[in-house]
Amino acid sequence: MRYQKPNIETPNFINRPKSGLAITARNLCKTYSDGKGDLQALKSVNFDVPIGCIYGLLGPNGAGKSTLINIMAGTVIKSSGNVSIWGTDIDANPRQSRANIGIVPQELNIDAFFTPRETLDMMAGLFGVTKSERRTDEILDMVGLTEQADFYSRRLSGGMRRRLLVGKAMVHQPPILVLDEPTAGVDVALRQRLWDNIKALNHAGVTVVLTTHYLEEAEALCDQIAIINKGDVITARTKAELLESAGHRTIHFNVKKMPEFPLPDALNALGAKWHDGRLSIRFDPSISTAIDLLNEVRQAGFEVNDISTSEPDLEDVFLKLTE
């Protein structure tokens, strides 16, 4: 049975799931057994990926992220539970569910003796995409490999090969793209180029699932984020909600005169520290305000020249939840 190729002539894919969800997982479990004991890689995982978002899947090494992706890709058999990809259950119609998703793995699985053009054409053929429907040149341009289209892949740099992986995953025009550590080991300029590619695909209507250990990458790209640890999804919220949950900010005071040490008891009680030539205080906005802290600093005898604040970042939230 030939799969139904999604239509991306317009930003909205046809056959959109009525649920509004690109991926759903319910009570998903995976247990590995080596004869000596069992390892539960996933423990009743539940999560939803809304259509059209960039969804971050974060977690420490061994948390279960790769197992989850491999189940969606059909390369690992789940122990129990249900997964639906673009409205298709992976057990009821495995061929269609796999056609609904494009996977960019961590490993550089490219034939060194094929050119990028040949690689994309071969991959399109494996998915049953006819020659008239193939968009090889368009994909090569999207990933910035037009000039290298007819070079042997062994001549490509590591970064170019990683971009080729993105192209391979898009040959059958899937509505969902999963990127597993897409910028691991690449330089800053290439990372920015890949970020631009991801944003462009998402703008065209592709739902993106991203796993990464670069938390600044997730913060820059993702709309929603799930954090998985030891096989459990410990939180799944919008990026804004996660950052708000950190519950603290830091306010910095540039003072006219360097303080004498130790600091006054009133400032010590607030946790004030002298760092990088500034007086810094970490506080919870629900308990204290910047005006309250400014008054405390002035009452302690300091003349304030300037004030700045720093917001919590995703790293703060991640460490708080996975410690």
Side-chain angles (χ1 to χ4, degrees):
M1 182 179 66
R2 188 171 181 268
Y3 78 97
Q4 298 174 2
K5 182 175 67 65
N7 178 6
I8 55 172
E9 294 302 322
T10 62
N12 295 314
F13 290 89
I14 61 173
N15 303 322
R16 291 166 61 93
K18 294 179 180 178
S19 65
L21 299 173
I23 300 173
T24 61
R26 294 290 179 268
N27 303 315
L28 184 61
C29 298
K30 175 60 184 177
T31 301
Y32 293 99
S33 179
D34 61 0
K36 299 179 181 178
D38 293 337
L39 172 65
Q40 199 167 6
L42 296 176
K43 307 170 185 176
S44 295
V45 165
N46 294 282
F47 74 101
D48 298 316
V49 179
I51 291 174
C53 77
I54 300 181
Y55 194 93
L57 190 61
L58 309 182
N61 290 329
K65 302 186 301 299
S66 292
T67 297
L68 183 55
I69 289 173
N70 289 332
I71 289 173
M72 291 190 290
T75 57
V76 168
I77 305 301
K78 59 185 173 60
S79 300
S80 62
N82 301 98
V83 180
S84 177
I85 300 175
W86 203 253
T88 302
D89 186 275
I90 64 171
D91 294 323
N93 193 341
R95 183 181 177 90
Q96 182 62 52
S97 68
R98 293 172 193 175
N100 288 341
I101 196 168
I103 306 287
V104 180
Q106 293 184 41
E107 300 80 14
L108 296 173
N109 56 351
I110 297 170
D111 192 310
F113 295 97
F114 275 47
T115 67
R117 188 185 305 282
E118 291 168 341
T119 297
L120 298 188
D121 279 337
M122 179 189 70
M123 200 69 186
L126 292 175
F127 274 101
V129 181
T130 64
K131 289 186 177 181
S132 63
E133 294 176 314
R134 294 178 191 175
R135 304 173 70 172
T136 301
D137 288 336
E138 183 179 331
I139 293 172
L140 287 168
D141 180 64
M142 179 194 73
V143 296
L145 290 176
T146 299
E147 293 183 4
Q148 295 81 19
D150 298 309
F151 293 177
Y152 284 130
S153 293
R154 67 175 184 268
R155 294 180 55 190
L156 302 180
S157 68
M160 290 177 181
R161 294 180 190 183
R162 195 159 292 280
R163 278 185 272 161
L164 182 55
L165 288 181
V166 176
K168 279 181 64 179
M170 292 303 299
V171 293
H172 59 299
Q173 302 170 36
I176 302 168
L177 181 66
V178 177
L179 300 115
D180 193 6
E181 301 286 345
T183 61
V186 303
D187 61 48
V188 175
L190 177 56
R191 182 176 301 172
Q192 188 63 56
R193 177 88 183 244
L194 287 169
W195 286 11
D196 291 341
N197 288 158
I198 293 168
K199 291 176 183 177
L201 286 167
N202 181 245
H203 183 71
V206 178
T207 301
V208 178
V209 178
L210 172 72
T211 76
T212 180
H213 284 297
Y214 300 116
L215 297 182
E216 71 277 10
E217 181 169 73
E219 191 166 350
L221 294 175
C222 297
D223 307 308
Q224 300 200 30
I225 292 171
I227 296 178
I228 185 170
N229 192 27
K230 298 180 180 178
D232 284 320
V233 173
I234 55 179
T235 188
R237 307 165 73 178
T238 67
K239 179 174 64 178
E241 289 171 342
L242 274 178
L243 293 175
E244 288 175 4
S245 72
H248 69 267
R249 296 176 183 171
T250 303
I251 188 167
H252 309 283
F253 299 98
N254 288 341
V255 297
K256 189 172 183 180
K257 184 180 178 182
M258 181 176 176
E260 296 180 0
F261 296 95
L263 293 172
D265 291 341
L267 295 185
N268 282 326
L270 294 171
K273 296 181 179 179
W274 182 257
H275 181 67
D276 288 340
R278 300 183 297 181
L279 196 63
S280 300
I281 301 175
R282 191 169 182 264
F283 71 103
D284 187 337
S286 65
I287 299 174
S288 305
T289 67
I291 297 298
D292 295 333
L293 298 175
L294 174 60
N295 290 335
E296 290 284 354
V297 171
R298 283 174 171 169
Q299 289 174 14
F302 294 103
E303 184 178 344
V304 177
N305 293 332
D306 191 24
I307 301 174
S308 61
T309 60
S310 56
E311 302 288 332
D313 58 20
L314 200 53
E315 183 174 348
D316 296 324
V317 179
F318 182 84
L319 292 174
K320 178 181 177 182
L321 291 173
T322 58
E323 280 179 345

